[in-house]
Amino acid sequence: MNSPTTAPADTACDAESAGRGRAALSVTASPEAAVTAARVLARCRDLVRPSLSAAIGRLHPWPGEMAAFSLGWCEVGGGPTDGSYEGKGLRQALAVLCAEAAEAPGESAVAGAVAVELVHTFSLLHDDIMDGDGTRRQRETVWKAYGTGPAVLAGDALFALAVQTLAEAPGPHTAAAVCRLSGTLSGLVRGQAEDLLFAARPWTGPGAVRMDEYCAMAELKTGTLLGCAAALGGLLGGAPAPTVAALDRAGRHLGVAFQAVDDLLGIWGDPAVTGKPVYGDLRQRKKTHPVLAALAGDGLRTRELAALLNSPLPLDDAGAMRAAALVEACGGRSATLDEARRRLDAARACLRSVPLAPRAALEIEVLLASLLHRRM
Amino acid sequence: MNSPTTAPADTACDAESAGRGRAALSVTASPEAAVTAARVLARCRDLVRPSLSAAIGRLHPWPGEMAAFSLGWCEVGGGPTDGSYEGKGLRQALAVLCAEAAEAPGESAVAGAVAVELVHTFSLLHDDIMDGDGTRRQRETVWKAYGTGPAVLAGDALFALAVQTLAEAPGPHTAAAVCRLSGTLSGLVRGQAEDLLFAARPWTGPGAVRMDEYCAMAELKTGTLLGCAAALGGLLGGAPAPTVAALDRAGRHLGVAFQAVDDLLGIWGDPAVTGKPVYGDLRQRKKTHPVLAALAGDGLRTRELAALLNSPLPLDDAGAMRAAALVEACGGRSATLDEARRRLDAARACLRSVPLAPRAALEIEVLLASLLHRRM
């Protein structure tokens, strides 16, 4: 990251996190909170949807259909869906809520919300090509359904549209917002590059991926855009620079937490809910947080796990189940859950370090807490 | 194209073109002019190179190497080249010259010049994936040398870097420049979508690609970025809006002329110079200007050409040579050369419709004339 607008999350406010944050987590992570999180997400989605839909409508019809398919709005060919393939809309919600946290109407952040949702969709689309992933949200991925070339095109179209939507938005903060978004795009690509390169590195020994490298990658790949979403909301809502910076840092911590939970779901998630194969990340031998944490020890079970992962043979059902059990027995699962909690606490501490409108701040915290317990 | 900053090229100033422009062409298209064009390109390249190189240096090393390979600066693995794989640098030159045409130092356009070169490199890289082209400038394309996934990543990195470079540039015209660039990106993608869809359409009959559709595609795919390069130069050089608009239109016409010459080289170019296979575009059955022009007639030879192109068999050497001869006999080659001349005249008329610094205007016209006689 070269841009001064995209400083790493590890800053002074992190130190405040432990006590207050963890206590708050246990209070807000109730079933009621999950319902409220769903409502918050729905309210923000309803606010942003007309503009997001209008933006997609500006695309050439062909990449436009692929974009709508990727957003879960249609089937291949353009036919309607029941909406069950849509994403959570976390990024657009963060943008809207952070504008409201700056005492501005949520509407002021809509161009930013649209831009971050478009960038998110672009990155899923291109990452699925690079990772060779054929399934997402219980459906074929775009490259699988439409072909690799067309999927590259659709991603490019979304990327361009994201920048155009924000650059054409009226208002005094547009230039700063575009500058932040462009730094974010570079950060995302850098994170994806690291993630792809991890695949070629050994599981153990001097060349193995260190946990700090993994967390830096997760912050770039997932945290940068969540930080951007939050910061754009604040920026477009007229928040002062220290508040925008704190929102950015909060989003980055949230991103690492989100990735950690994603890693847990990639091994122990319910395939019927996640839409991904059981133990999928282990079968694909992805270098994820729980596996790297498990391999950080040096007991017998750690060595058995390393041997399984190093084997040139594909992992069959029994092998994948054994690997998952070993990751858990070696403390990988609990270490990842701890990392997610720690990062959510740090995000909370960032939010509490600056003055925010109470109602919006509460809604953001409810969203944060719900992410730890998400099932997809 | 939805942006008001990217109006189509067909405007009033085109009407002025015929007489004056064609006369000027015969004067400037001398061997001396070609030498001068090479010098103009070299001067602009030297001016832009440090910033372009610094921008590439900001990339993650992996996409950074692919970007440098694509720019002709290194071999696979990062080893040095002799520079013979570099592009002409037409876009950066246009940006620099158009700033100078606005009485500003060429330096004022460098961020714009870097951005358009990065976007050009991005688009070659992703288009080669989509088109399945394995060779460019006598070397393997990036996807062929590094793999499809990494090439998608490298393109994304260049795309993001282009926007970031321009968005972070100081100066009063940055926001307008970024807005123009983002509209251009959307236009490029739209042009590429049209071009890809042409492949599935019939050669003749009601669904055939019409010449106006072809020219609209060429203007989007090639003209948009050349127009952007010229307009960014004027804009960053402080030119008034009518001048910027005229520069944009000139660049768009130039783009169609450039594409027309490209189409001629794709059939009749010297493979030793172009680095592409002999009759390559015919073998790939690309819908190019000369072929579409040849098919617009209805004689015996037109029908023989259509039958050859409609045949499910690959075109062997004799078939490709026969197809090329038929395209020429049906007037396709001369029609395309006429289109290129007409568009260069129109570009010249646009340039002469606004006040420009004489020296820079002369250099731009020399560049324009040289493009008609280029061999690669």
Side-chain angles (χ1 to χ4, degrees), chain A residues 40-52:
Chain A
V40 170
L41 289 169
R43 175 174 74 81
C44 296
R45 187 186 302 119
D46 290 347
L47 180 66
V48 175
R49 175 57 70 89
S51 299
L52 183 57

Side-chain angles (χ1 to χ4, degrees), chain A residues 86-103:
Chain A
E86 289 193 38
K88 290 174 282 294
L90 174 61
R91 289 152 195 84
Q92 65 191 0
L94 265 184
V96 168
L97 294 173
C98 288
E100 292 174 346
E103 310 276 6

